[in-house]
Amino acid sequence: MSEVTSDVTTQRVLTDEMVAAIKAFFPRYPTRQAVTLPALHVVNERLRYVPLQAVVEIAELLELAPAQVQDTLTFYGMFKQDAPHGQTRAWVCRSMSCMLLGANELLDHICHKTGTRPGETTADGSTTIEFAECLGACEFAPCILANKTLHKCVTSHQADQLLNEWKTKPAP
Amino acid sequence: MPDFEPVLLANVGVPNSFTREVYESTGGYAALRKVLKEMSPNDVKELVKSSGLRGRGGAGFPTGLKWTFLPKDHPGPIYFCLNADESEPGTFNNRILMEDDPHQVIEGIILSCFATGASTCYFYLRYEYPLCYERVENALAECYAAGYLGKNILGTDYSLDMYVHRGAAAYICGEETGLIESLEGKRAWPRIKPPFPAVEGAFRKPTVVNNVETCACVAQICRRGAEWFKSIGVPPDPGNPRDPGSFGPKLYCLSGHVNKPGCYEAPLGITVNDLINNYGGGMRDGKRPKMAIPGGISMGLLTADEFDCPLDFAGPGKYGCLGLGTAAVVVMDESVSIVDYLYNSCQFFDHESCGQCTPCREGTAWSRNMLKRIKAGQGRFRDLDLLLEIGDTIGIIPGTTICGLADGAAWPLKNGIRKFRQELEDYIKRTNPTGYMETRPPPALVSLDVH
Ligand SMILES: Cc1cc2nc3c(=O)[nH]c(=O)nc-3n(C[C@H](O)[C@H](O)[C@H](O)COP(=O)(O)O)c2cc1C
Ligand code: SF4
Ligand code: FES
């Protein structure tokens, strides 16, 4: 396994800061493998994706085969691997309560406006549009979670404004 | 508004309700001090058992009884996992507890850990709750500072560590053994049971998994006593020796076509009508109701004629639904097409099936595809029978799958088609006038929409 990373031409992607942040999780769990999700989040929150090289380096830290980390990673809807997502990642809920109050139309509208399909990033690279299953905010249907900000009872007009804002300033 | 005084939600709306200071100013952590000083873990177990508390995460299993399944005199470690993965569509009560009163939840967890002898708690929190994450992390730091967590809590020889573990957008992490696999750093593939987690759970050690609201109830039971808890709700049905009753207050989530959607606390056993009219401000725009989901989409469907259904653990089952689930009621008015309801439900379970069991993986995908075709005007009467066949054969109840996700996928099909067959047939006939009686296999589906 270690041969993969000992290749001097490979550019490491985990910074010292990331490695320290990952190692800080070690004492919490009886196994190293349990640090997989925390480690993926550490990388994803900083790089906005988890490239294959990061998977190899995480595996090395956790004393796992890269395939084990990759296996776990691909199960979850959270981690992109080919390119970073936009500075704003907007999750548009499409589940039942939101659907009843116009979520499908809202998502269609947003995709149409931005020329994206769910999972894709706008041409200017600022915003990634995703569909979400229930965001647990059904009393505010239809809703959008943009980074850490929940937008409640969103109309298509409000969505236009948000899309405009995100072009210049990422959602908090 | 009804006169029931909220207990679990008492602090919601109070400024800074999420701080230790405010929680303690309303009596918080007094129960923890008292219990640690005066009671043994076994006493707490017995207290919770005698309260009749049943798990609020969906299955309604008696909490005290679950705790007694832990092996006796186990050398440890025993793990406690808090299930804060809340992702059942329609459900948001856990979010409100964690955002507005995280200390009530944490006090309940500490008491539950003390009762079960756990020395580590993993607080499994879905990633899509960033505000909960912030509030819970702050609350945990306050607890460590106050000596409620860490080594030798309040000077006793009981020690407990609590760590937040964040999910990564997968519904199946809410299933308790899926949660455990995910915690261990793997795909959240539910395990075959037995062994149950109480015997062999996280890291192959005895493990208790409980829901956020369950723990909040434990805090209130320790504060107010089992008798108080039993004075609320519905006693066991004398005609059914296996019914443990439905005691305590419950957080009902109300959404959909009502005037005031929201999370309301009421005694277990109020009816759907009560919830809509006395709490939810009635139907939106004065429209007529058509149907409602009784407890999260996994639980199936009630018609408007069935809104006298009591929302206790036994109620929805008597109306052909799966159960009370998370007590998340989604109300739909007469403008909603049963086809859209079914499609949305099938879409969800298709997306969230973990793919281990063939009946679930294939059944959810095919039912979604069939609904998509019906929606697009290519439906056949025969499809309704095929969909029912899927509904009647997938799940742990028919015994074909590992976990209950498939039962959750089955119930909307079973209830939706049986209770609204005429409307479905009318839709199919109207949209596919030349082909509705077709029985030969339909041509392959082309992609009919964008998402
Ligand atoms: C597919 C599926 C998803 C579930 N999701 C959740 C969930 O998000 N939160 C939860 O507390 N329980 C969930 N459960 C129920 C848990 O498996 C488990 O019964 C519960 O956490 C036990 O806690 P309780 O006894 O306190 O209710 C789910 C079950 C299934 C089958
Ligand atoms: S029933 Fe479905 S979700 Fe559950 S383990 Fe089987 S495939 Fe996975
Ligand atoms: S259905 Fe959209 S937040 Fe719950």
Side-chain angles (χ1 to χ4, degrees):
Chain A
M1 281 181 286
S2 55
E3 294 80 16
V4 184
T5 44
S6 60
D7 178 352
V8 285
T9 60
T10 314
Q11 187 81 43
R12 293 192 74 85
V13 295
L14 263 57
T15 61
D16 291 346
E17 188 271 334
M18 289 186 228
V19 171
I22 293 169
K23 285 187 171 165
F25 282 97
F26 287 1
R28 297 184 171 199
Y29 305 93
T31 68
R32 286 273 172 98
Q33 186 167 18
V35 181
T36 304
L37 272 187
L40 292 171
H41 283 311
V42 163
V43 175
N44 199 46
E45 278 163 4
R46 288 158 180 78
L47 302 180
R48 305 199 307 280
Y49 77 137
V50 184
L52 281 174
Q53 176 59 25
V55 170
V56 172
E57 291 170 36
I58 289 171
E60 197 178 309
L61 275 172
L62 304 188
E63 296 166 353
L64 298 169
Q68 287 173 288
V69 177
Q70 181 71 6
D71 181 57
T72 300
L73 177 148
T74 54
F75 183 80
Y76 300 92
M78 203 73 220
F79 311 109
K80 291 193 181 297
Q81 291 208 280
D82 42 0
H85 60 72
Q87 295 274 2
T88 298
R89 195 175 190 189
W91 301 87
V92 185
C93 177
R94 69 172 191 185
S95 292
M96 194 66 77
S97 308
C98 289
M99 180 278 279
L100 291 172
L101 292 160
N104 289 339
E105 294 73 14
L106 180 66
L107 184 56
D108 281 349
H109 174 84
I110 291 174
C111 288
H112 179 73
K113 271 273 156 143
T114 52
T116 59
R117 286 156 56 110
E120 293 178 358
T121 303
T122 52
D124 66 358
S126 69
T127 308
T128 300
I129 308 297
E130 308 266 6
F131 70 75
E133 299 296 359
C134 184
L135 290 168
C138 325
E139 78 271 49
F140 302 123
C143 56
I144 300 178
L145 179 68
N147 294 347
K148 291 182 192 166
T149 312
L150 181 70
H151 297 279
K152 305 170 179 177
C153 309
V154 184
T155 63
S156 46
H157 178 67
Q158 285 165 332
D160 291 345
Q161 292 176 331
L162 289 171
L163 288 167
N164 252 333
E165 279 171 33
W166 298 332
K167 276 186 190 153
T168 49
K169 204 166 98 231
Chain B
M1 257 319 230
D3 47 12
F4 180 75
E5 186 74 36
V7 174
L8 300 170
L9 297 183
N11 282 350
V12 172
V14 175
N16 295 321
S17 60
F18 46 85
T19 59
R20 183 169 76 88
E21 195 186 333
V22 171
Y23 183 63
E24 291 193 345
S25 74
T26 57
Y29 290 115
L32 179 69
R33 290 176 186 277
K34 190 161 155 271
V35 164
L36 286 189
K37 210 153 93 202
E38 295 169 13
M39 289 169 80
S40 72
N42 220 30
D43 295 340
V44 184
K45 254 191 218 167
E46 288 304 321
L47 176 72
V48 171
K49 217 165 147 183
S50 67
S51 74
L53 170 63
R54 294 172 66 177
R56 301 314 200 214
F61 197 81
T63 306
L65 184 63
K66 174 147 107 184
W67 293 354
T68 61
F69 295 158
L70 290 165
K72 302 260 168 314
D73 305 319
H74 191 273
I78 291 171
Y79 293 109
F80 190 95
C81 295
L82 182 80
N83 194 339
D85 191 56
E86 183 168 73
S87 339
E88 172 78 10
T91 314
F92 47 88
N93 53 348
N94 289 181
R95 188 197 89 234
I96 288 177
L97 285 172
M98 292 185 285
E99 283 180 357
D100 289 344
D101 204 358
H103 280 288
Q104 180 185 200
V105 177
I106 292 169
E107 183 176 15
I109 305 172
I110 303 173
L111 288 161
S112 305
C113 288
F114 176 70
T116 52
S119 52
T120 306
C121 166
Y122 296 107
F123 194 122
Y124 192 105
L125 177 63
R126 74 180 295 200
Y127 196 85
E128 295 90 327
Y129 280 177
L131 184 57
C132 294
Y133 176 64
E134 192 190 305
R135 297 255 165 102
V136 168
E137 282 285 16
N138 284 336
L140 288 178
E142 288 183 312
C143 285
Y144 273 101
Y148 299 154
L149 282 172
K151 284 241 162 328
N152 301 106
I153 297 175
L154 296 172
T156 63
D157 55 11
Y158 181 62
S159 303
L160 174 68
D161 281 310
M162 201 179 299
Y163 306 115
V164 178
H165 188 92
R166 302 183 80 186
Y171 169 68
I172 196 61
C173 295
E175 197 280 342
E176 55 185 7
T177 56
L179 182 152
I180 288 170
E181 287 283 307
S182 176
L183 171 68
E184 291 182 0
K186 303 172 198 156
R187 330 185 116 226
W189 273 356
R191 293 179 183 167
I192 294 174
K193 285 149 275 204
F196 287 94
V199 175
E200 195 181 299
F203 310 107
R204 305 284 156 195
K205 299 290 181 200
T207 301
V208 177
V209 183
N210 273 132
N211 172 263
V212 172
E213 188 187 334
T214 310
C215 288
C217 288
V218 169
Q220 295 301 338
I221 290 166
C222 290
R223 191 191 295 192
R224 294 158 199 265
E227 286 314 310
W228 161 78
F229 198 75
K230 284 199 112 156
S231 71
I232 302 165
V234 184
D237 174 0
N240 177 5
R242 300 214 339 249
D243 177 19
S246 303
F247 293 112
K250 179 78 193 81
L251 300 183
Y252 291 98
C253 303
L254 183 61
S255 64
H257 294 139
V258 291
N259 277 320
K260 290 192 291 172
C263 177
Y264 300 106
E265 183 173 352
L268 269 165
I270 64 162
T271 66
V272 178
N273 273 326
D274 284 342
L275 188 62
I276 297 174
N277 297 320
N278 300 343
Y279 292 85
M283 294 296 294
R284 212 173 135 109
D285 304 329
K287 287 225 178 101
R288 282 220 312 263
K290 174 171 179 173
M291 51 197 181
I293 288 165
I297 64 166
S298 297
M299 295 300 125
L301 196 61
L302 294 167
T303 66
D305 294 343
E306 297 171 322
F307 282 9
D308 56 343
C309 173
L311 295 165
D312 56 44
F313 288 104
K318 294 182 188 147
Y319 289 72
C321 297
L322 180 51
L324 179 65
T326 59
V329 175
V330 184
V331 182
M332 293 170 245
D333 69 26
E334 54 196 350
S335 71
V336 181
S337 157
I338 186 74
V339 179
D340 289 337
Y341 157 82
L342 282 172
Y343 180 72
N344 189 271
S345 161
C346 291
Q347 169 181 264
F348 175 79
F349 290 105
D350 173 36
H351 187 255
E352 298 300 334
S353 168
C354 84
Q356 276 190 106
C357 319
T358 308
C360 174
R361 181 185 64 245
E362 300 301 316
T364 54
W366 279 103
S367 57
R368 178 190 171 175
N369 280 344
M370 266 194 266
L371 255 318
K372 192 183 212 173
R373 183 163 49 69
I374 293 172
K375 214 166 124 73
Q378 302 284 310
R380 312 168 305 158
F381 280 5
R382 193 181 141 72
D383 295 329
L384 299 178
D385 297 320
L386 288 170
L387 286 167
L388 271 179
E389 188 180 332
I390 294 175
D392 288 338
T393 52
I394 64 173
I396 18 181
I397 293 176
T400 57
T401 64
I402 294 173
C403 91
L405 180 138
D407 301 84
W411 244 268
L413 287 170
K414 300 203 290 200
N415 287 169
I417 296 173
R418 293 213 167 92
K419 294 183 181 182
F420 290 92
R421 179 131 197 166
Q422 191 60 49
E423 184 189 334
L424 285 161
E425 290 190 355
D426 290 348
Y427 178 92
I428 292 173
K429 208 165 162 181
R430 180 165 49 80
T431 55
N432 191 14
T434 55
Y436 66 92
M437 291 303 282
E438 185 61 77
T439 54
R440 280 172 304 172
L445 250 197
V446 286
S447 185
L448 291 166
D449 64 2
V450 286
H451 46 265

